[in-house]
Amino acid sequence: MRIGVFVCWCGSNIAKTVDVQAVAEAAKDMPGVAFATDYKYMCSEPGQNIVKDAIREHKLDRIVIASCSPRLHEPTFQRCIGDAGLNPYMVEMANLREHCSWVHEHTPETTQKAIELVRMAVAKVSKDQPLFRKDIDLTKRALVIGGGIAGIQAALDIADAGHPVVLVERTPSIGGHMAQYDKTFPTLDCAACILTPKMVDCASHPLIDIWTYSEVEEVKGFVGNFEVTIRKRAKSVDETKCTGCGLCLEKCPMKGISSEFDESMGTRRAIYRPFPQAVPNKPAIDRAHCRLFNGQKCGVCQKLCPAGAIDYDQQDQLVTENFGGIVVATGFQLWNHAALGEYGYGKYPNVISSIQFERIMNASGPTDGHIVRPSDGKTPKSIAFLSCIGSRDDTHGHAYCSKVCCMYNAKQALLVKDKLHDVDTYVFYMDIRANGKGYEEFVRRTIEDFGANYIRGRVSRIYPDGDQLVIKGADTLLGKPVEVRADLVVLATAMEPQHDAKDLARKLGISTDQYNWFSEAHPKLKPVEVLTDGIYLAGACQYPKDIPDTVAQASGAASKVIGLFSKPSIKSQPMIAYINEDTCAGCGLCTEVCPFGAIDLVEVMDRSKSTREKQVMKTVAQVNEGVCKGCGTCSAACRSLSARLRGFEGNQILAEIDALAESKRS
Amino acid sequence: MKYAFFPGCSMESTAGDFRMSTLAVAEALGVELEEIPDWSCCGSTPAHATDSLLAASLPARNLAIAQDMGKDVVVCCASCYSRLASANVALAENADLRAQVAEITGREYAGGLKIRHFLQVLNEDIGLSEIKDSVVKSLSGLKVACYYGCLLTRPKELSILNDPEDPQLMDNIMAAAGAEPVEWPYKTECCGASFSITRTETVERLSGDILRMAKQSGADCIVAACPLCQSNLDLRQADVEKATGEKIGLPVFYFTQLLGHALGIPDAALGINKLMVDPSAILAR
């Protein structure tokens, strides 16, 4: 055994408080050490060359780098010694910087501690075993969950790079919330004009399969090899036969069902497509409202359908498919303001939410774009827009800012003035958060060129008076109570995670924050990744985002998938757990504590009890090597020392402790 | 049903009719209200506006005495309710405060009592159907605006109402007594409270708004649950009318008075004759 020790100054970071030369000198006397030296920047190219040259010259087989945290440079030195012909895992880092020089004064004890850290690393490296990465096969096919603008963008980017994509959407059409909007801030291009071409691109792309009316049921496997079960709900319409002629939509006798797409501002029938530009442009039967499925006589759609596409006997299909990477783009939902007593619990017809107002403004919406009051169809002469309805409001569970409301309030106030001219607009706000390209200018335009009355303050109560609504609030700039009378009140309700976000997170094995937004792997440097490899986030399922941010992140997620698929196979991380099946009692404690769900219980032959005549089976734990992150929780929990971690074996840890104890004795 | 009853100072004086009617209704419905012996002032607004220790100590003394009675404490005055309930929570949660208060009052009290408003007793313990069955003189045809004010509804944590923005407890009782509660938006607006004395014009404006809104909403009368609210709306009504030159003429009852009337208790025993705005016309209908 010939160990080399390389002590780094880290400029002055370590050398200021630690006598690095004394550390290198001391290392020379440690057991197994054949060479020791120090250098100003061991991670630099000349520093790495010192290591490589020493390995050749002194025939070193194990290396200790006494420098910074392994989190920073362990991969650097693994590569370095690998280049010099050693197994890359025969290196140990002694953390002289974070664990010593940074936290101590320049005293002899500091140098002594540095020597002890090196002694421990030397002891550990002497027990190191070569480790090897395995190649894992990879399915170059992506799953995108959620067919809003985030999912659409991600699917298109991945497919354009040449990889097949399945886009799963739970409503009958892709398009998401963006399809509901009228125009988009700050450029006022119509949402449909920029979205529907992308929807059509998805539908016509040879590498994209769109599965609408479908939901993810179960996710198994790991990066490169996910096995996903998807429920394709029965549409009662055979998509291969349906031509999308729309005859059934006109003749279905079940009228007046509140339209989800129109946010209850319009109606649909039992057989429906959410909106005329739906993709796929083929209807589905909503069985909860269909006469036939509720025991009544009907069958009108089947009789009329010229293509014979109506199939009442269709069943939900469970399909299990393999994917290499997953993009989660499930978006958001809007908080229901019916929780607010002060604004009438959703009982006043002329108090509506901003998304409802979008539908009224939309030229293809339920009023053909005529801005009218829900109560009597009259054109409003005054409209009040209220910000932060549930957002930045801890008492209603959303301490966060919903981020987009300031901008769409300004957009709606501008557009309504543009359409109606003879209308007074009021915007109640807490702060105006217009931080985006062209955003602040846009808000100024709404105020200065379109005469919106911005009132800084919150509204305490809304009540009807005659056919108007009285809005009582505070103007905190004037320091006075204000009262505004309006024909229509528009509430900018908080964005919140989908009601079943937590369920999906559990299925995917990813984590959520306190509100159930999906958690990214790092808030700054890994905003697209999650802690599970191969799964990426796009759009508002992570936290409220506007369209530009959503599209940017979707492309980011897509590029991560494309990057993953650019390799022929995936290299496994060797420093992971394994189970000694001979001693494992199958208690299952490790499966419970594993934060990544990487351990399963399996049946194997019990070699100690089986004979040639009779096989005896027993239950043992088994580590899924693609999923294990090497955190070591299982090996700490295992009562029979059967769960072990490569690179952190019991004898390695004990050697470190012995070395420390020895230095204390001497 | 037995309770420890904390009447409070108002019910000894300006709200004597609230006390009379409360006791009469309680008796009629088989509720025993046993007065807390040697009770003292809850501290009301002056205490908690000046000193938080005083604001906890004054109610604490009463709660310590009530503790020995082993029953839920029932309060009618909204201000007393608010003070007793908030001290009850503060003493249960804060050990330091508890020790300081014990030294001042000479009595140990660590929270644990239930502080209830009489409206809760009627809704939850007696029940609306029992009230309905006990009505002998239905209030049918009478449109009432139930007015809750501030102290029964705020803060949300102490509110007697599961719905502080659109409270229903009084509305439920009035409906059970046959009356028709009107929907109106000023149920929890401020009447001006104790500014009645120092800034009368503020109270005239705030109480005036409430009176006019009740009238505009079609009410024949207002029903209140707080001595100060009742006094501002009833006693100051003439001033409001004088200031605006607009006749309002809305009688302002305690909920116990109208309920007592429906239960067949003679008006004199309910103190109805003490109201400033004459209710005889609407009661005679």
Side-chain angles (χ1 to χ4, degrees), chain A residues 341-342 345 347 395 461 463 465 472 483, chain B residues 163 165-166 183 185-186 188-189 213 216:
Chain A
E342 58 269 44
Y345 291 116
K347 283 187 295 195
T395 56
R461 185 164 291 276
Y463 62 85
D465 182 21
K472 292 182 72 155
E483 207 174 285
Chain B
D163 184 358
E165 294 295 346
D166 184 15
E183 273 248 358
Y186 275 25
T188 63
E189 288 294 300
M213 184 56 82
Q216 199 183 317

mmCIF file with all atom_site columns, all heavy atoms in Angstrom, chain A residues 341-342 345 347 395 461 463 465 472 483, chain B residues 163 165-166 183 185-186 188-189 213 216:
data_model
loop_
_atom_site.group_PDB
_atom_site.id
_atom_site.type_symbol
_atom_site.label_atom_id
_atom_site.label_alt_id
_atom_site.label_comp_id
_atom_site.label_asym_id
_atom_site.label_entity_id
_atom_site.label_seq_id
_atom_site.pdbx_PDB_ins_code
_atom_site.Cartn_x
_atom_site.Cartn_y
_atom_site.Cartn_z
_atom_site.occupancy
_atom_site.B_iso_or_equiv
_atom_site.pdbx_formal_charge
_atom_site.auth_seq_id
_atom_site.auth_comp_id
_atom_site.auth_asym_id
_atom_site.auth_atom_id
_atom_site.pdbx_PDB_model_num
ATOM 1   N N   . GLY A 1 341 ? -66.355 35.721 3.232  1.00 0.00 ? 341 GLY A N   1
ATOM 2   C CA  . GLY A 1 341 ? -67.640 36.293 3.622  1.00 0.00 ? 341 GLY A CA  1
ATOM 3   C C   . GLY A 1 341 ? -67.723 37.762 3.305  1.00 0.00 ? 341 GLY A C   1
ATOM 4   O O   . GLY A 1 341 ? -68.772 38.260 2.891  1.00 0.00 ? 341 GLY A O   1
ATOM 5   N N   . GLU A 1 342 ? -66.599 38.484 3.469  1.00 0.00 ? 342 GLU A N   1
ATOM 6   C CA  . GLU A 1 342 ? -66.649 39.934 3.258  1.00 0.00 ? 342 GLU A CA  1
ATOM 7   C C   . GLU A 1 342 ? -66.923 40.311 1.811  1.00 0.00 ? 342 GLU A C   1
ATOM 8   O O   . GLU A 1 342 ? -67.336 41.416 1.522  1.00 0.00 ? 342 GLU A O   1
ATOM 9   C CB  . GLU A 1 342 ? -65.379 40.600 3.784  1.00 0.00 ? 342 GLU A CB  1
ATOM 10  C CG  . GLU A 1 342 ? -64.064 40.113 3.190  1.00 0.00 ? 342 GLU A CG  1
ATOM 11  C CD  . GLU A 1 342 ? -63.432 38.964 3.979  1.00 0.00 ? 342 GLU A CD  1
ATOM 12  O OE1 . GLU A 1 342 ? -64.170 38.026 4.365  1.00 0.00 ? 342 GLU A OE1 1
ATOM 13  O OE2 . GLU A 1 342 ? -62.210 39.005 4.204  1.00 0.00 ? 342 GLU A OE2 1
ATOM 14  N N   . TYR A 1 345 ? -69.163 35.562 -0.322 1.00 0.00 ? 345 TYR A N   1
ATOM 15  C CA  . TYR A 1 345 ? -69.155 34.095 -0.452 1.00 0.00 ? 345 TYR A CA  1
ATOM 16  C C   . TYR A 1 345 ? -69.492 33.601 -1.844 1.00 0.00 ? 345 TYR A C   1
ATOM 17  O O   . TYR A 1 345 ? -70.092 32.554 -2.015 1.00 0.00 ? 345 TYR A O   1
ATOM 18  C CB  . TYR A 1 345 ? -70.162 33.461 0.503  1.00 0.00 ? 345 TYR A CB  1
ATOM 19  C CG  . TYR A 1 345 ? -69.800 33.574 1.943  1.00 0.00 ? 345 TYR A CG  1
ATOM 20  C CD1 . TYR A 1 345 ? -70.610 34.297 2.808  1.00 0.00 ? 345 TYR A CD1 1
ATOM 21  C CD2 . TYR A 1 345 ? -68.664 32.967 2.438  1.00 0.00 ? 345 TYR A CD2 1
ATOM 22  C CE1 . TYR A 1 345 ? -70.277 34.411 4.147  1.00 0.00 ? 345 TYR A CE1 1
ATOM 23  C CE2 . TYR A 1 345 ? -68.326 33.085 3.769  1.00 0.00 ? 345 TYR A CE2 1
ATOM 24  C CZ  . TYR A 1 345 ? -69.125 33.803 4.617  1.00 0.00 ? 345 TYR A CZ  1
ATOM 25  O OH  . TYR A 1 345 ? -68.798 33.906 5.912  1.00 0.00 ? 345 TYR A OH  1
ATOM 26  N N   . LYS A 1 347 ? -71.774 34.691 -3.559 1.00 0.00 ? 347 LYS A N   1
ATOM 27  C CA  . LYS A 1 347 ? -73.234 34.731 -3.755 1.00 0.00 ? 347 LYS A CA  1
ATOM 28  C C   . LYS A 1 347 ? -73.684 35.875 -4.673 1.00 0.00 ? 347 LYS A C   1
ATOM 29  O O   . LYS A 1 347 ? -74.738 35.807 -5.265 1.00 0.00 ? 347 LYS A O   1
ATOM 30  C CB  . LYS A 1 347 ? -73.936 34.884 -2.394 1.00 0.00 ? 347 LYS A CB  1
ATOM 31  C CG  . LYS A 1 347 ? -73.991 33.608 -1.581 1.00 0.00 ? 347 LYS A CG  1
ATOM 32  C CD  . LYS A 1 347 ? -74.846 33.772 -0.322 1.00 0.00 ? 347 LYS A CD  1
ATOM 33  C CE  . LYS A 1 347 ? -74.241 34.760 0.646  1.00 0.00 ? 347 LYS A CE  1
ATOM 34  N NZ  . LYS A 1 347 ? -74.806 34.711 2.005  1.00 0.00 ? 347 LYS A NZ  1
ATOM 35  N N   . THR A 1 395 ? -53.837 34.050 6.504  1.00 0.00 ? 395 THR A N   1
ATOM 36  C CA  . THR A 1 395 ? -55.061 33.544 7.137  1.00 0.00 ? 395 THR A CA  1
ATOM 37  C C   . THR A 1 395 ? -55.839 32.646 6.174  1.00 0.00 ? 395 THR A C   1
ATOM 38  O O   . THR A 1 395 ? -56.660 31.843 6.609  1.00 0.00 ? 395 THR A O   1
ATOM 39  C CB  . THR A 1 395 ? -55.979 34.681 7.603  1.00 0.00 ? 395 THR A CB  1
ATOM 40  O OG1 . THR A 1 395 ? -56.255 35.519 6.488  1.00 0.00 ? 395 THR A OG1 1
ATOM 41  C CG2 . THR A 1 395 ? -55.322 35.498 8.694  1.00 0.00 ? 395 THR A CG2 1
ATOM 42  N N   . ARG A 1 461 ? -65.122 45.165 2.585  1.00 0.00 ? 461 ARG A N   1
ATOM 43  C CA  . ARG A 1 461 ? -66.461 44.606 2.416  1.00 0.00 ? 461 ARG A CA  1
ATOM 44  C C   . ARG A 1 461 ? -67.044 44.999 1.059  1.00 0.00 ? 461 ARG A C   1
ATOM 45  O O   . ARG A 1 461 ? -66.776 46.091 0.565  1.00 0.00 ? 461 ARG A O   1
ATOM 46  C CB  . ARG A 1 461 ? -67.393 45.126 3.520  1.00 0.00 ? 461 ARG A CB  1
ATOM 47  C CG  . ARG A 1 461 ? -68.782 44.513 3.512  1.00 0.00 ? 461 ARG A CG  1
ATOM 48  C CD  . ARG A 1 461 ? -69.509 44.760 4.801  1.00 0.00 ? 461 ARG A CD  1
ATOM 49  N NE  . ARG A 1 461 ? -68.918 44.012 5.906  1.00 0.00 ? 461 ARG A NE  1
ATOM 50  C CZ  . ARG A 1 461 ? -69.204 42.737 6.175  1.00 0.00 ? 461 ARG A CZ  1
ATOM 51  N NH1 . ARG A 1 461 ? -70.056 42.074 5.439  1.00 0.00 ? 461 ARG A NH1 1
ATOM 52  N NH2 . ARG A 1 461 ? -68.634 42.134 7.192  1.00 0.00 ? 461 ARG A NH2 1
ATOM 53  N N   . TYR A 1 463 ? -70.930 44.925 -0.724 1.00 0.00 ? 463 TYR A N   1
ATOM 54  C CA  . TYR A 1 463 ? -72.347 44.555 -0.577 1.00 0.00 ? 463 TYR A CA  1
ATOM 55  C C   . TYR A 1 463 ? -73.173 45.199 -1.676 1.00 0.00 ? 463 TYR A C   1
ATOM 56  O O   . TYR A 1 463 ? -72.806 46.221 -2.228 1.00 0.00 ? 463 TYR A O   1
ATOM 57  C CB  . TYR A 1 463 ? -72.868 44.929 0.813  1.00 0.00 ? 463 TYR A CB  1
ATOM 58  C CG  . TYR A 1 463 ? -72.832 46.407 1.145  1.00 0.00 ? 463 TYR A CG  1
ATOM 59  C CD1 . TYR A 1 463 ? -73.874 47.245 0.768  1.00 0.00 ? 463 TYR A CD1 1
ATOM 60  C CD2 . TYR A 1 463 ? -71.768 46.952 1.846  1.00 0.00 ? 463 TYR A CD2 1
ATOM 61  C CE1 . TYR A 1 463 ? -73.846 48.593 1.069  1.00 0.00 ? 463 TYR A CE1 1
ATOM 62  C CE2 . TYR A 1 463 ? -71.722 48.290 2.147  1.00 0.00 ? 463 TYR A CE2 1
ATOM 63  C CZ  . TYR A 1 463 ? -72.764 49.121 1.755  1.00 0.00 ? 463 TYR A CZ  1
ATOM 64  O OH  . TYR A 1 463 ? -72.725 50.455 2.051  1.00 0.00 ? 463 TYR A OH  1
ATOM 65  N N   . ASP A 1 465 ? -76.101 47.245 -3.456 1.00 0.00 ? 465 ASP A N   1
ATOM 66  C CA  . ASP A 1 465 ? -77.007 48.343 -3.167 1.00 0.00 ? 465 ASP A CA  1
ATOM 67  C C   . ASP A 1 465 ? -77.728 48.632 -4.469 1.00 0.00 ? 465 ASP A C   1
ATOM 68  O O   . ASP A 1 465 ? -77.115 49.106 -5.421 1.00 0.00 ? 465 ASP A O   1
ATOM 69  C CB  . ASP A 1 465 ? -76.209 49.554 -2.688 1.00 0.00 ? 465 ASP A CB  1
ATOM 70  C CG  . ASP A 1 465 ? -77.136 50.710 -2.325 1.00 0.00 ? 465 ASP A CG  1
ATOM 71  O OD1 . ASP A 1 465 ? -78.334 50.445 -2.058 1.00 0.00 ? 465 ASP A OD1 1
ATOM 72  O OD2 . ASP A 1 465 ? -76.670 51.866 -2.321 1.00 0.00 ? 465 ASP A OD2 1
ATOM 73  N N   . LYS A 1 472 ? -66.265 48.883 0.025  1.00 0.00 ? 472 LYS A N   1
ATOM 74  C CA  . LYS A 1 472 ? -65.693 49.705 1.098  1.00 0.00 ? 472 LYS A CA  1
ATOM 75  C C   . LYS A 1 472 ? -64.261 49.241 1.346  1.00 0.00 ? 472 LYS A C   1
ATOM 76  O O   . LYS A 1 472 ? -63.998 48.057 1.494  1.00 0.00 ? 472 LYS A O   1
ATOM 77  C CB  . LYS A 1 472 ? -66.504 49.543 2.388  1.00 0.00 ? 472 LYS A CB  1
ATOM 78  C CG  . LYS A 1 472 ? -67.886 50.148 2.275  1.00 0.00 ? 472 LYS A CG  1
ATOM 79  C CD  . LYS A 1 472 ? -68.660 50.015 3.565  1.00 0.00 ? 472 LYS A CD  1
ATOM 80  C CE  . LYS A 1 472 ? -68.108 50.939 4.623  1.00 0.00 ? 472 LYS A CE  1
ATOM 81  N NZ  . LYS A 1 472 ? -69.107 51.304 5.637  1.00 0.00 ? 472 LYS A NZ  1
ATOM 82  N N   . GLU A 1 483 ? -64.977 54.528 -0.524 1.00 0.00 ? 483 GLU A N   1
ATOM 83  C CA  . GLU A 1 483 ? -66.154 53.769 -0.931 1.00 0.00 ? 483 GLU A CA  1
ATOM 84  C C   . GLU A 1 483 ? -66.304 53.970 -2.432 1.00 0.00 ? 483 GLU A C   1
ATOM 85  O O   . GLU A 1 483 ? -66.315 55.099 -2.918 1.00 0.00 ? 483 GLU A O   1
ATOM 86  C CB  . GLU A 1 483 ? -67.375 54.312 -0.190 1.00 0.00 ? 483 GLU A CB  1
ATOM 87  C CG  . GLU A 1 483 ? -68.466 53.294 -0.012 1.00 0.00 ? 483 GLU A CG  1
ATOM 88  C CD  . GLU A 1 483 ? -69.588 53.833 0.864  1.00 0.00 ? 483 GLU A CD  1
ATOM 89  O OE1 . GLU A 1 483 ? -69.397 53.903 2.090  1.00 0.00 ? 483 GLU A OE1 1
ATOM 90  O OE2 . GLU A 1 483 ? -70.640 54.177 0.308  1.00 0.00 ? 483 GLU A OE2 1
ATOM 91  N N   . ASP B 2 163 ? -68.694 31.909 11.693 1.00 0.00 ? 163 ASP B N   1
ATOM 92  C CA  . ASP B 2 163 ? -68.648 32.684 10.484 1.00 0.00 ? 163 ASP B CA  1
ATOM 93  C C   . ASP B 2 163 ? -68.654 34.174 10.801 1.00 0.00 ? 163 ASP B C   1
ATOM 94  O O   . ASP B 2 163 ? -69.686 34.822 10.756 1.00 0.00 ? 163 ASP B O   1
ATOM 95  C CB  . ASP B 2 163 ? -69.863 32.321 9.636  1.00 0.00 ? 163 ASP B CB  1
ATOM 96  C CG  . ASP B 2 163 ? -69.817 33.035 8.328  1.00 0.00 ? 163 ASP B CG  1
ATOM 97  O OD1 . ASP B 2 163 ? -68.876 33.807 8.116  1.00 0.00 ? 163 ASP B OD1 1
ATOM 98  O OD2 . ASP B 2 163 ? -70.726 32.818 7.528  1.00 0.00 ? 163 ASP B OD2 1
ATOM 99  N N   . GLU B 2 165 ? -67.815 36.775 9.271  1.00 0.00 ? 165 GLU B N   1
ATOM 100 C CA  . GLU B 2 165 ? -68.153 37.762 8.242  1.00 0.00 ? 165 GLU B CA  1
ATOM 101 C C   . GLU B 2 165 ? -69.653 37.835 7.971  1.00 0.00 ? 165 GLU B C   1
ATOM 102 O O   . GLU B 2 165 ? -70.150 38.846 7.497  1.00 0.00 ? 165 GLU B O   1
ATOM 103 C CB  . GLU B 2 165 ? -67.412 37.443 6.939  1.00 0.00 ? 165 GLU B CB  1
ATOM 104 C CG  . GLU B 2 165 ? -65.908 37.598 7.020  1.00 0.00 ? 165 GLU B CG  1
ATOM 105 C CD  . GLU B 2 165 ? -65.454 39.036 7.259  1.00 0.00 ? 165 GLU B CD  1
ATOM 106 O OE1 . GLU B 2 165 ? -66.261 39.974 7.117  1.00 0.00 ? 165 GLU B OE1 1
ATOM 107 O OE2 . GLU B 2 165 ? -64.271 39.193 7.614  1.00 0.00 ? 165 GLU B OE2 1
ATOM 108 N N   . ASP B 2 166 ? -70.345 36.765 8.216  1.00 0.00 ? 166 ASP B N   1
ATOM 109 C CA  . ASP B 2 166 ? -71.795 36.802 8.028  1.00 0.00 ? 166 ASP B CA  1
ATOM 110 C C   . ASP B 2 166 ? -72.435 35.963 9.130  1.00 0.00 ? 166 ASP B C   1
ATOM 111 O O   . ASP B 2 166 ? -72.954 34.880 8.889  1.00 0.00 ? 166 ASP B O   1
ATOM 112 C CB  . ASP B 2 166 ? -72.167 36.268 6.635  1.00 0.00 ? 166 ASP B CB  1
ATOM 113 C CG  . ASP B 2 166 ? -73.661 36.384 6.373  1.00 0.00 ? 166 ASP B CG  1
ATOM 114 O OD1 . ASP B 2 166 ? -74.344 37.114 7.131  1.00 0.00 ? 166 ASP B OD1 1
ATOM 115 O OD2 . ASP B 2 166 ? -74.157 35.749 5.426  1.00 0.00 ? 166 ASP B OD2 1
ATOM 116 N N   . GLU B 2 183 ? -81.495 40.073 5.112  1.00 0.00 ? 183 GLU B N   1
ATOM 117 C CA  . GLU B 2 183 ? -80.085 40.026 4.700  1.00 0.00 ? 183 GLU B CA  1
ATOM 118 C C   . GLU B 2 183 ? -79.619 41.448 4.611  1.00 0.00 ? 183 GLU B C   1
ATOM 119 O O   . GLU B 2 183 ? -80.212 42.257 3.902  1.00 0.00 ? 183 GLU B O   1
ATOM 120 C CB  . GLU B 2 183 ? -79.973 39.422 3.298  1.00 0.00 ? 183 GLU B CB  1
ATOM 121 C CG  . GLU B 2 183 ? -79.881 37.981 3.279  1.00 0.00 ? 183 GLU B CG  1
ATOM 122 C CD  . GLU B 2 183 ? -78.600 37.342 2.850  1.00 0.00 ? 183 GLU B CD  1
ATOM 123 O OE1 . GLU B 2 183 ? -77.638 38.031 2.473  1.00 0.00 ? 183 GLU B OE1 1
ATOM 124 O OE2 . GLU B 2 183 ? -78.593 36.128 2.914  1.00 0.00 ? 183 GLU B OE2 1
ATOM 125 N N   . PRO B 2 185 ? -75.885 44.150 4.905  1.00 0.00 ? 185 PRO B N   1
ATOM 126 C CA  . PRO B 2 185 ? -74.418 44.078 4.894  1.00 0.00 ? 185 PRO B CA  1
ATOM 127 C C   . PRO B 2 185 ? -73.734 44.655 6.130  1.00 0.00 ? 185 PRO B C   1
ATOM 128 O O   . PRO B 2 185 ? -72.530 44.532 6.243  1.00 0.00 ? 185 PRO B O   1
ATOM 129 C CB  . PRO B 2 185 ? -74.040 44.896 3.658  1.00 0.00 ? 185 PRO B CB  1
ATOM 130 C CG  . PRO B 2 185 ? -75.150 45.869 3.495  1.00 0.00 ? 185 PRO B CG  1
ATOM 131 C CD  . PRO B 2 185 ? -76.388 45.211 4.013  1.00 0.00 ? 185 PRO B CD  1
ATOM 132 N N   . TYR B 2 186 ? -74.495 45.276 7.045  1.00 0.00 ? 186 TYR B N   1
ATOM 133 C CA  . TYR B 2 186 ? -73.837 46.000 8.134  1.00 0.00 ? 186 TYR B CA  1
ATOM 134 C C   . TYR B 2 186 ? -73.886 45.254 9.463  1.00 0.00 ? 186 TYR B C   1
ATOM 135 O O   . TYR B 2 186 ? -73.737 45.846 10.521 1.00 0.00 ? 186 TYR B O   1
ATOM 136 C CB  . TYR B 2 186 ? -74.459 47.401 8.282  1.00 0.00 ? 186 TYR B CB  1
ATOM 137 C CG  . TYR B 2 186 ? -73.858 48.427 7.358  1.00 0.00 ? 186 TYR B CG  1
ATOM 138 C CD1 . TYR B 2 186 ? -73.259 48.050 6.161  1.00 0.00 ? 186 TYR B CD1 1
ATOM 139 C CD2 . TYR B 2 186 ? -73.885 49.786 7.667  1.00 0.00 ? 186 TYR B CD2 1
ATOM 140 C CE1 . TYR B 2 186 ? -72.717 48.978 5.300  1.00 0.00 ? 186 TYR B CE1 1
ATOM 141 C CE2 . TYR B 2 186 ? -73.333 50.733 6.819  1.00 0.00 ? 186 TYR B CE2 1
ATOM 142 C CZ  . TYR B 2 186 ? -72.755 50.318 5.629  1.00 0.00 ? 186 TYR B CZ  1
ATOM 143 O OH  . TYR B 2 186 ? -72.211 51.256 4.784  1.00 0.00 ? 186 TYR B OH  1
ATOM 144 N N   . THR B 2 188 ? -71.808 43.561 11.032 1.00 0.00 ? 188 THR B N   1
ATOM 145 C CA  . THR B 2 188 ? -70.613 43.619 11.884 1.00 0.00 ? 188 THR B CA  1
ATOM 146 C C   . THR B 2 188 ? -69.880 44.948 11.765 1.00 0.00 ? 188 THR B C   1
ATOM 147 O O   . THR B 2 188 ? -68.716 45.058 12.113 1.00 0.00 ? 188 THR B O   1
ATOM 148 C CB  . THR B 2 188 ? -69.632 42.474 11.523 1.00 0.00 ? 188 THR B CB  1
ATOM 149 O OG1 . THR B 2 188 ? -69.207 42.671 10.177 1.00 0.00 ? 188 THR B OG1 1
ATOM 150 C CG2 . THR B 2 188 ? -70.277 41.118 11.647 1.00 0.00 ? 188 THR B CG2 1
ATOM 151 N N   . GLU B 2 189 ? -70.550 45.963 11.228 1.00 0.00 ? 189 GLU B N   1
ATOM 152 C CA  . GLU B 2 189 ? -69.920 47.288 11.179 1.00 0.00 ? 189 GLU B CA  1
ATOM 153 C C   . GLU B 2 189 ? -69.784 47.837 12.593 1.00 0.00 ? 189 GLU B C   1
ATOM 154 O O   . GLU B 2 189 ? -70.483 47.401 13.520 1.00 0.00 ? 189 GLU B O   1
ATOM 155 C CB  . GLU B 2 189 ? -70.773 48.244 10.337 1.00 0.00 ? 189 GLU B CB  1
ATOM 156 C CG  . GLU B 2 189 ? -70.735 47.960 8.868  1.00 0.00 ? 189 GLU B CG  1
ATOM 157 C CD  . GLU B 2 189 ? -69.370 48.183 8.241  1.00 0.00 ? 189 GLU B CD  1
ATOM 158 O OE1 . GLU B 2 189 ? -68.868 49.310 8.308  1.00 0.00 ? 189 GLU B OE1 1
ATOM 159 O OE2 . GLU B 2 189 ? -68.798 47.203 7.713  1.00 0.00 ? 189 GLU B OE2 1
ATOM 160 N N   . MET B 2 213 ? -78.932 51.741 6.962  1.00 0.00 ? 213 MET B N   1
ATOM 161 C CA  . MET B 2 213 ? -78.796 50.522 6.167  1.00 0.00 ? 213 MET B CA  1
ATOM 162 C C   . MET B 2 213 ? -79.839 49.482 6.578  1.00 0.00 ? 213 MET B C   1
ATOM 163 O O   . MET B 2 213 ? -80.407 48.789 5.725  1.00 0.00 ? 213 MET B O   1
ATOM 164 C CB  . MET B 2 213 ? -77.376 49.948 6.309  1.00 0.00 ? 213 MET B CB  1
ATOM 165 C CG  . MET B 2 213 ? -77.091 48.727 5.432  1.00 0.00 ? 213 MET B CG  1
ATOM 166 S SD  . MET B 2 213 ? -77.384 49.002 3.672  1.00 0.00 ? 213 MET B SD  1
ATOM 167 C CE  . MET B 2 213 ? -75.848 49.799 3.222  1.00 0.00 ? 213 MET B CE  1
ATOM 168 N N   . GLN B 2 216 ? -83.078 50.671 5.094  1.00 0.00 ? 216 GLN B N   1
ATOM 169 C CA  . GLN B 2 216 ? -83.047 50.481 3.649  1.00 0.00 ? 216 GLN B CA  1
ATOM 170 C C   . GLN B 2 216 ? -83.194 49.007 3.282  1.00 0.00 ? 216 GLN B C   1
ATOM 171 O O   . GLN B 2 216 ? -83.717 48.675 2.224  1.00 0.00 ? 216 GLN B O   1
ATOM 172 C CB  . GLN B 2 216 ? -81.690 50.993 3.161  1.00 0.00 ? 216 GLN B CB  1
ATOM 173 C CG  . GLN B 2 216 ? -81.599 51.301 1.696  1.00 0.00 ? 216 GLN B CG  1
ATOM 174 C CD  . GLN B 2 216 ? -80.163 51.715 1.358  1.00 0.00 ? 216 GLN B CD  1
ATOM 175 O OE1 . GLN B 2 216 ? -79.529 52.483 2.098  1.00 0.00 ? 216 GLN B OE1 1
ATOM 176 N NE2 . GLN B 2 216 ? -79.650 51.192 0.284  1.00 0.00 ? 216 GLN B NE2 1
#
